[in-house]
Amino acid sequence: MSEFTEPILERKLIDLRDSQKEIQSLSQYCVLHRLHCKAVVKVWYKYKNIKTTAVKRELTAMYLANDVVQNSKKRGPEYAKEFGMVMRKVFEHLADMDFDDKTIMSLVRLIGIWQERQIFDKKILHEISKIWDQKHKNSGAAKLTGQESESPKKRRESSGSGTERRKSSEIAEIEELLDVPMQTSGSNELDVETLTLSPRQGGSPGSGDPPEPDELIQALQDLENSASSDAIVREKIAKLPPEVSEVARIETLQSVPEAKVLHGQVEEASILLDDYNLRLQEELMDRKKVGSMISEFLSAQRDLLAQAEERPELYLDKLDKIHGVKDELKSHIAALPDIPVVSRHF
């Protein structure tokens, strides 16, 4: 995966086509760079409001947001919080657009899945469902309450033939993304609480946005090919004739050909040294950048460690409370009067 910058994400969004593979690929990119979640959501929101006027673009952008939020839940709640903050405005924007009933039902189904899986805060879910139901109550689409959504498979089976059938199949393929998290989580095993720790915002030096381990490893590996490690160029510099750096050599020149030869050697050495110095300056900037990345990464790891150390304390407090309730219950049981057992004779 490439590094994260806002222009890179903007280009990826513009080039995004409405296919399951491309949505999942861009979703993985966003999840990988979840520490830039605020910038990701900002760019996504700007893209939706400015670039997407077609129905397919609007729907594809919503499917992308859904995939990012659901696939990032195990790593942390950042995306759910950031996307949740803009979803009301997003649906107000969508409600002002003219969609056909099929698109409206696709968005109805999306909201229904968010409600079922509690993707966002209950208040946010209530607001967006209210907006969507109110704006389109006369559109011919069923309301959210008591709504049963058709599966993509059923929609394919009931669709027409030819071009219409192929388009319906493409849309259904994308909508299957909605079912993936439900299928993977629908096991018969007991639910186990997953501990997810995230660096606190603003807890690290610099931008407060620590790099991913893969990014840091790649940056360190790139330094292995830096200018100071280029043995070939350093050997060339070491083998430069001494006269190219001695001003006194000019006074010993006896002819024009000798001067031209020396001039050529000086020009060649100058080009070699200028290029090497430029590479050394770039390496210095890269090393400062990597140093900053390491500082931010270490700060984030210390933050995560502190959070991890807090967890046992919380559970120990809960355990103490449980033991206290247990002891009180034992005392209460011991203080109860003995009730004689009355035997019945028949």
Side-chain angles (χ1 to χ4, degrees), residues 223-224 226 228-229 282-292:
L223 288 179
E224 295 179 0
S226 58
S228 60
S229 302
E282 292 175 351
E283 179 186 346
L284 180 61
M285 294 176 62
D286 289 340
R287 289 188 179 276
K288 288 181 178 179
K289 180 180 177 181
V290 172
S292 177

Side-chain angles (χ1 to χ4, degrees), residues 85-326:
M85 292 172 65
V86 300
M87 275 302 162
R88 178 184 174 86
K89 291 183 178 179
V90 167
F91 274 88
E92 287 176 346
H93 166 71
L94 292 174
D96 290 335
M97 299 185 69
D98 293 326
F99 295 120
D100 56 25
D101 287 351
K102 183 179 291 186
T103 303
I104 293 172
M105 291 305 300
S106 295
L107 290 169
V108 165
R109 180 168 180 266
L110 182 62
I111 297 173
I113 288 174
W114 288 351
Q115 290 175 326
E116 179 184 346
R117 302 177 190 175
Q118 293 295 301
I119 300 300
F120 299 113
D121 183 77
K122 290 182 179 180
K123 182 180 179 182
I124 296 171
L125 291 171
H126 175 72
E127 288 177 349
I128 62 178
S129 61
K130 183 178 179 181
I131 291 169
W132 199 242
D133 190 35
Q134 181 180 357
K135 293 289 184 180
H136 295 280
K137 60 183 177 181
N138 297 322
S139 65
K143 294 184 179 182
L144 295 179
T145 306
Q147 177 68 40
E148 288 189 6
S149 303
E150 268 191 315
S151 67
K153 185 176 180 181
K154 280 188 177 181
R155 199 173 294 116
R156 284 198 299 270
E157 291 172 352
S158 61
S159 62
S161 57
T163 305
E164 183 181 353
R165 186 180 181 86
R166 284 195 298 273
K167 287 182 179 179
S168 178
S169 177
E170 290 174 0
I171 294 172
E173 182 188 59
I174 298 172
E175 288 186 348
E176 285 176 353
L177 288 171
L178 305 180
D179 293 325
V180 172
M182 180 65 75
Q183 291 169 356
T184 55
S185 62
S187 62
N188 294 325
E189 297 178 1
L190 293 175
D191 292 335
V192 179
E193 181 184 358
T194 302
L195 175 60
T196 303
L197 302 176
S198 300
R200 297 184 177 94
Q201 294 293 332
S204 57
S207 67
D209 206 3
E212 292 285 346
D214 292 343
E215 291 179 297
L216 184 56
I217 291 171
Q218 184 61 51
L220 290 169
Q221 289 176 343
D222 290 341
L223 288 179
E224 295 179 0
N225 300 320
S226 58
S228 60
S229 302
D230 193 339
I232 296 175
V233 174
R234 293 178 67 180
E235 185 178 357
K236 286 182 180 179
I237 293 173
K239 289 183 178 180
L240 288 173
E243 51 266 25
V244 298
S245 58
E246 296 176 359
V247 180
R249 173 65 177 171
I250 298 176
E251 298 177 358
T252 63
L253 296 175
Q254 300 294 326
S255 63
V256 173
E258 287 183 9
K260 288 183 177 180
V261 170
L262 180 60
H263 180 267
Q265 291 176 336
V266 171
E267 283 290 329
E268 184 179 349
S270 177
I271 293 172
L272 178 64
L273 291 171
D274 284 344
D275 179 67
Y276 190 62
N277 283 330
L278 181 62
R279 290 176 60 195
L280 286 173
Q281 290 176 5
E282 292 175 351
E283 179 186 346
L284 180 61
M285 294 176 62
D286 289 340
R287 289 188 179 276
K288 288 181 178 179
K289 180 180 177 181
V290 172
S292 177
M293 290 172 67
I294 292 173
S295 297
E296 292 176 348
F297 183 79
L298 291 176
S299 178
Q301 293 305 308
R302 284 191 290 268
D303 193 7
L304 293 174
L305 178 61
Q307 292 180 50
E309 290 174 344
E310 290 173 2
R311 302 290 292 195
E313 295 178 4
L314 292 174
Y315 286 118
L316 286 173
D317 289 341
K318 290 182 180 179
L319 184 60
D320 289 340
K321 291 179 181 178
I322 292 172
H323 285 317
V325 172
K326 184 178 178 182

